[in-house]
Amino acid sequence: MSVLRAWLIAVVMSGVLIASSVPVVLLSQPAAAQVVETIVVEGNRRVEAETVRSYFRPGPGGRLDQPAIDEGLKALIGTGLFQDVKINQAGGRIVVSVVENAVIGRIAFEGNKKIKDEQLSAEIQSKPRGTFSRALVQSDTLRIAEIYRRSGRYDVRVTPEIIEQPSSRVDLIFTVEEGAKTSVKSVEFIGNSAYSAARLRDIIKTHESNLLSFLGNNDIYDPDRVEADRDLIRRFYLKNGFADVQVVAALTEYDPDKKGFLVTFKIEEGQQYRVGSVDFRSGIANFDAGSMRSYSRVGVGSLYNVEAVEKSVEEMQIEASRRGYAFAVVRPSGDRNFESHTVSVVFNVDEGPRTYIERINLRGNTRTRDYVIRREFDISEGDAYNRALVDRAERRLKNLDYFKSVKIVTEPGSSSDRVILIVDMEEKSTGDFSISGGYSTSDGALAEVSVSERNLLGRGLYAKASVSYGQYSRGISLSFVEPYLLDYRLALGFDTYWKQQKSNSYTSYGVTTLGFSPRLGFALREDLSLQLRYSLYQQSITLASAYNNCNNNASNASLAFNPTPAYVQSVLGGVDPTNSTSSGVYGYGCYGDGESSLPVRKELASGATWTSAIGYTLNYNTLDNNKNPTDGLLVDFKQDFAGVGGNVTYLKTAMDTKYYTPLVSEIVSVIHLQSGILNKIGNDDLRMLDHFQMGPNLVRGFASNGIGPRDITYLNYGSTGDSLGGTKYWGASMELQMPFWFLPKEVGLKGAVYADAGSLWGYQGPTSWAATGEVNTKACPTCGLQYDDGNVVRSSVGVGLIWASPFGPLRFDYAVPLTKGKYDNVQEFRFGGGTSF
């Protein structure tokens, strides 16, 4: 027993020694939910205690477990109302101790000159009378710096300063060191062989800095703009047959020596393809795919153009929807032939998923009414989802020019066959106030003040008022357009105007016009539109007395030369009242010393004339750019019929066609054709004012109103009279426009060489006038208006300088006439342009 006892004692002692040398791990059991009788809030001043308690809601039986307490603590800190939060637990009592954040009393900005306080205040999240948060202040500091970087100032430094005030208030001051503007010093391209760097620079929005950069901001480095330029370059290549093009990278590097960014686009062009064949296939029963051929804009032999393919897909899909195939989807495919460099295009019409639009949600339109946006959609809630119609709506919304950005995305609906369209928009200013000035060799100096609004009252209405005052012309005009009449895609417009054209070196008379013109326009297709109009206007002629003093009165001693009645009768062709058979040598009826032409004086004596006319304009436009076109066709066909009331009757027809096509090395060819005819209706003579008047608008190198029939009644006295105009004209022009490759593209200078030809003839206005002091043709058959009306082809060649300047478009032309009429007026140099500021 003693041995056993000793062994047991030894075992116990060794166990004690082992236990004392090894740490003991305690496995804690999950704390049981405790019953909370009270939640005490301490330290709160502005925040109600009940608000704090609401973050700690006991469960059934008043029990609150540790995870719920931790969750409430996180949520309370997440409110941003408190600088510190502590929780103490004692039995059934929880004490929540809080230290509230201060309240911002004032926010100020110092050192900012380039960006206004209002813009910065709108961008930051900290607000006066809001809760102060250091994390939020840090975020605002970064946001202000980002705004400056977007405006090209990468050296900006923003320092926040917190000034303590009584009653737990602080003032927040952001001190800004703006730094110099960081611009783009060079834009280069790697891998481009089909198009020069200058041509590609014309495509992108990012421009190199130059002497005129202070008038714009496209030379400021903007990473988002550079990224968008990658897509512009890619789209340009895809449009011109390079189906495999890739813009691999847009590399940007800051050069401290040049103090600006160097931007380099790396391009892999691939081969240029043409369309080898176009085929149509249908996977829908009873649907004739061949019927879609007329909606294809892709032609065999033409350059493969992705934009033309996309437009074809859109029109085909919309047409299929109109025929009752609401879920039809047109998918293009292209099979490349690498040897012949052709693409076989196949348009596949298949049944798409049966998806419906559940809702169309609009976001960001704080000013524009919802219906103004929704009416741009050809689909509505409950209709079949059609991506082509959604893309068309997005394009229409962008073309409204009401928004900085428009993006339509889809979200899942309440079921698998429902989608929600989300229209995200950012509105921009749609009002314009401009003061513009200009000068031209025909109109002299001119200034205009105008106020316009493209989105009046947020209803999508357009209104404009302008006042112009110039050396030879002045006027007032008011315009209003309702683009959706009675919720149809019909644009109803009204124009009211007053114009005064004063006499100048080209015309001896002035014309005052007061008019009103309602019009109705609508699109027949994306590239074809029709406008109907009615015009009601009053015209009257003003004439200086020196141009209307036909002198056959010997008693008028105020004139330099007072011919006797006998001289007027025997030499000038005056008619002796006592001898109705008498006639003179020249048959003028009075002494001519610079009087206006007979039709002008007759119009003056007739007083104001009212014209009431109805007309229309058919417009076809496929230009790639309306402001600076390089490719496409523009056709205007106009007709006006006067005689719906008023004092004048005629039918006037005019057609104007311009065709742009790019040639080589950025040279653009412009072919301009125009023609017109004025038809007399009834037996009355046409007014001279209704005739076509032509000059450099038909053939350059001639003065305004310098071409066509002209009064030569007083030619024997050494001068010709007024231009009378004609009833028929035609014109043709061939022009080559090219950049100056040795100048930066941003300068905006282009040169032009051209050849013009045309003619104006067919005067059908008054040639006699039985009035006091004028010719009585019954007694003097050879007397009356003498004029030259030869159908002579006028032609010229010339050069031009076109400048898309920051001061507005300017053009200088020097043209030399090759052939002309005997009495045409030549003006070899011509200048015109203007600006807005």
Side-chain angles (χ1 to χ4, degrees):
M1 291 295 292
S2 61
V3 175
L4 179 62
R5 183 182 295 112
W7 181 81
L8 289 173
I9 292 172
V11 170
V12 170
M13 292 300 293
S14 62
V16 172
L17 291 173
I18 292 173
S20 63
S21 62
V22 178
V24 178
V25 179
L26 300 177
L27 300 176
S28 60
Q29 300 294 325
Q34 57 180 314
V35 177
V36 178
E37 296 178 355
T38 59
I39 298 176
V40 180
V41 180
E42 296 178 349
N44 60 308
R45 296 183 179 183
R46 296 183 306 277
V47 181
E48 296 290 339
E50 187 59 34
T51 302
V52 177
R53 294 190 188 99
S54 66
Y55 287 86
F56 305 92
R57 291 295 185 185
R63 296 186 179 276
L64 186 67
D65 56 13
Q66 188 62 41
I69 295 174
D70 293 342
E71 193 66 30
L73 176 62
K74 292 178 182 178
L76 200 60
I77 294 174
T79 62
L81 298 173
F82 306 102
Q83 184 177 344
D84 189 21
V85 180
K86 294 180 179 179
I87 297 179
N88 296 315
Q89 305 177 41
R93 186 168 178 265
I94 293 179
V95 179
V96 182
S97 301
V98 298
V99 178
E100 293 183 347
N101 276 326
V103 175
I104 301 174
R106 180 175 66 95
I107 297 178
F109 304 92
E110 295 181 354
N112 57 310
K113 297 178 181 179
K114 302 300 180 181
I115 301 179
K116 296 181 179 179
D117 290 359
E118 294 78 6
Q119 183 177 349
L120 294 177
S121 297
E123 294 289 343
I124 64 175
Q125 298 182 60
S126 299
K127 302 296 180 183
R129 296 181 298 278
T131 303
F132 171 77
S133 169
R134 293 186 181 275
L136 205 59
V137 171
Q138 184 63 26
S139 174
D140 290 339
T141 302
L142 296 175
R143 178 58 182 160
I144 294 172
E146 180 64 19
I147 293 172
Y148 272 92
R149 290 190 180 100
R150 294 294 181 185
S151 64
R153 298 182 181 274
Y154 275 74
D155 293 333
V156 63
R157 287 180 174 82
V158 183
T159 305
E161 183 181 358
I162 303 165
I163 302 175
E164 300 284 348
Q165 299 290 351
S167 304
S168 297
R169 291 181 174 272
V170 296
D171 288 344
L172 183 57
I173 311 296
F174 291 97
T175 302
V176 181
E177 297 178 21
E178 295 181 323
K181 185 176 75 170
T182 312
S183 59
V184 175
K185 295 302 181 181
S186 74
V187 178
E188 302 296 337
F189 303 88
I190 298 175
N192 59 307
S193 58
Y195 297 100
S196 67
R199 181 71 179 99
L200 295 178
R201 288 190 190 103
D202 195 33
I203 299 300
I204 62 177
K205 300 297 184 183
T206 301
H207 293 165
E208 294 178 351
S209 181
N210 57 65
L211 294 175
L212 300 177
S213 295
F214 69 95
L215 296 169
N217 63 357
N218 284 347
D219 69 317
I220 297 172
Y221 174 70
D222 185 342
D224 290 341
R225 182 187 295 152
V226 172
E227 192 62 29
D229 287 338
R230 289 182 63 184
D231 187 60
L232 289 176
I233 295 171
R234 176 178 167 274
R235 298 286 298 181
F236 173 74
Y237 272 94
L238 290 174
K239 180 182 176 182
N240 289 279
F242 293 87
D244 300 322
V245 66
Q246 289 185 355
V247 183
V248 179
L251 307 175
T252 58
E253 178 186 1
Y254 181 77
D255 188 332
D257 295 332
K258 295 183 178 181
K259 295 182 179 181
F261 281 90
L262 311 180
V263 180
T264 304
F265 294 95
K266 187 176 181 181
I267 305 170
E268 293 181 1
E269 292 182 332
Q271 296 294 328
Q272 190 178 40
Y273 294 87
R274 291 188 175 272
V275 178
S277 62
V278 181
D279 196 11
F280 303 85
R281 299 173 185 172
S282 173
I284 304 176
N286 301 323
F287 185 89
D288 181 14
S291 63
M292 295 287 102
R293 188 174 297 275
S294 60
Y295 297 93
S296 172
R297 299 191 179 190
V298 181
V300 176
S302 63
L303 283 175
Y304 178 72
N305 186 337
V306 168
E307 287 187 4
V309 173
E310 292 173 348
K311 290 180 180 178
S312 301
V313 168
E314 179 180 299
E315 294 190 6
M316 291 178 191
Q317 197 159 317
I318 292 172
E319 178 60 24
S321 178
R322 289 172 179 166
R323 296 182 184 183
Y325 298 91
F327 300 100
V329 177
V330 181
R331 296 185 177 93
S333 61
D335 184 13
R336 295 174 177 83
N337 186 321
F338 298 102
E339 295 180 357
S340 62
H341 297 157
T342 59
V343 178
S344 297
V345 180
V346 179
F347 293 99
N348 302 282
V349 185
D350 299 311
E351 187 77 21
R354 292 184 172 270
T355 307
Y356 298 88
I357 298 174
E358 184 173 328
R359 291 195 312 276
I360 300 177
N361 293 341
L362 309 180
R363 297 175 181 172
N365 57 315
T366 56
R367 181 168 177 266
T368 305
R369 309 293 179 93
D370 282 3
Y371 71 86
V372 173
I373 299 167
R374 293 182 183 275
R375 67 191 183 187
E376 298 298 330
F377 286 79
D378 290 328
I379 50 177
S380 57
E381 294 163 345
D383 289 348
Y385 174 74
N386 188 316
R387 188 66 222 180
L389 293 177
V390 173
D391 291 341
R392 172 179 283 189
E394 182 175 324
R395 187 170 63 252
R396 285 174 175 172
L397 289 172
K398 290 178 180 179
N399 291 338
L400 289 177
D401 201 23
Y402 301 163
F403 310 101
K404 290 182 180 178
S405 62
V406 179
K407 186 66 177 177
I408 302 179
V409 297
T410 60
E411 291 183 355
S414 58
S415 61
S416 60
D417 64 343
R418 297 287 189 272
V419 295
I420 299 173
L421 295 184
I422 307 297
V423 186
D424 283 313
M425 298 156 287
E426 183 182 357
E427 292 188 312
K428 68 178 182 181
S429 174
T430 55
D432 292 310
F433 172 78
S434 68
I435 303 174
S436 59
Y439 180 85
S440 72
T441 47
S442 59
D443 297 328
L446 179 69
E448 181 182 78
V449 178
S450 66
V451 179
S452 65
E453 172 58 62
R454 299 189 303 276
N455 189 15
L456 185 64
L457 303 177
R459 299 176 181 271
L461 306 174
Y462 174 83
K464 180 179 180 180
S466 65
V467 178
S468 62
Y469 190 91
Q471 186 175 358
Y472 300 122
S473 64
R474 57 197 64 176
I476 301 172
S477 66
L478 299 173
S479 298
F480 175 83
V481 178
E482 163 57 85
Y484 276 80
L485 179 64
L486 302 176
D487 291 330
Y488 290 98
R489 203 175 292 276
L490 298 174
L492 177 64
F494 298 93
D495 297 302
T496 302
Y497 53 90
W498 173 84
K499 298 178 183 178
Q500 185 183 64
Q501 185 69 40
K502 302 178 68 177
S503 60
N504 51 43
S505 57
Y506 306 105
T507 58
S508 64
Y509 56 91
V511 180
T512 302
T513 305
L514 175 65
F516 168 74
S517 178
R519 46 195 164 85
L520 189 68
F522 53 93
L524 302 175
R525 292 188 337 192
E526 288 290 316
D527 54 8
L528 186 65
S529 62
L530 177 66
Q531 183 189 89
L532 308 176
R533 61 181 170 272
Y534 169 74
S535 301
L536 177 66
Y537 58 91
Q538 181 195 67
Q539 279 187 315
S540 58
I541 279 185
T542 57
L543 196 61
S545 59
Y547 296 141
N548 192 32
N549 62 353
C550 185
N551 181 23
N552 56 8
N553 184 1
S555 64
N556 188 350
S558 63
L559 300 178
F561 175 70
N562 299 300
T564 63
Y567 183 87
V568 171
Q569 173 185 346
S570 62
V571 179
L572 300 180
V575 178
D576 187 351
T578 61
N579 183 2
S580 60
T581 61
S582 64
S583 62
V585 177
Y586 300 118
Y588 299 147
C590 66
Y591 172 66
D593 58 354
E595 286 78 22
S596 291
S597 299
L598 180 147
V600 177
R601 300 198 304 274
K602 182 177 181 180
E603 188 72 29
L604 177 68
S606 301
T609 302
W610 285 95
T611 299
S612 176
I614 57 174
Y616 69 91
T617 298
L618 191 63
N619 175 271
Y620 178 73
N621 187 345
T622 63
L623 297 181
D624 59 343
N625 187 314
N626 286 331
K627 290 185 178 180
N628 186 25
T630 60
D631 192 13
L633 179 65
L634 176 64
V635 180
D636 269 321
F637 181 80
K638 302 178 182 180
Q639 274 197 314
D640 288 280
F641 170 72
V644 190
N647 312 115
V648 179
T649 57
Y650 61 76
L651 176 64
K652 182 179 287 188
T653 306
M655 187 172 183
D656 192 287
T657 302
K658 292 181 180 179
Y659 178 64
Y660 297 82
T661 181
L663 300 178
V664 295
S665 300
E666 305 172 63
I667 299 177
V668 177
S669 167
V670 185
I671 297 176
H672 186 192
L673 304 175
Q674 49 186 323
S675 62
I677 184 169
L678 176 65
N679 297 107
K680 182 170 68 172
I681 299 177
N683 297 322
D684 294 334
D685 289 332
L686 293 169
R687 293 193 313 155
M688 185 195 71
L689 293 180
D690 295 324
H691 283 61
F692 296 111
Q693 295 283 357
M694 293 293 165
N697 54 330
L698 188 69
V699 180
R700 283 163 286 195
F702 292 85
S704 294
N705 300 347
I707 294 175
R710 184 169 298 276
D711 178 12
I712 58 172
T713 304
Y714 299 119
L715 183 62
N716 290 323
Y717 292 111
S719 65
T720 58
D722 292 294
S723 170
L724 303 177
T727 58
K728 303 177 185 68
Y729 74 91
W730 66 269
S733 173
M734 173 65 180
E735 178 171 300
L736 297 178
Q737 297 180 357
M738 64 209 73
F740 293 103
W741 294 277
F742 55 86
L743 292 176
K745 198 73 176 179
E746 294 75 19
V747 175
L749 277 174
K750 291 192 298 184
V753 294
Y754 52 82
D756 297 344
S759 185
L760 172 69
W761 73 99
Y763 174 72
Q764 295 184 22
T767 57
S768 63
W769 180 27
T772 303
E774 298 292 344
V775 174
N776 186 330
T777 55
K778 292 182 179 179
C780 180
T782 63
C783 302
L785 177 70
Q786 305 295 318
Y787 62 96
D788 174 72
D789 192 9
N791 183 10
V792 178
V793 176
R794 284 82 171 177
S795 62
S796 68
V797 293
V799 295
L801 182 64
I802 306 168
W803 186 21
S805 77
F807 313 104
L810 302 175
R811 176 150 184 159
F812 306 82
D813 280 295
Y814 182 81
V816 178
L818 301 179
T819 59
K820 65 185 185 71
K822 186 176 181 180
Y823 304 107
D824 289 345
N825 288 340
V826 173
Q827 184 183 35
E828 296 177 340
F829 177 76
R830 182 175 175 82
F831 159 74
T835 184
S836 296
F837 47 88

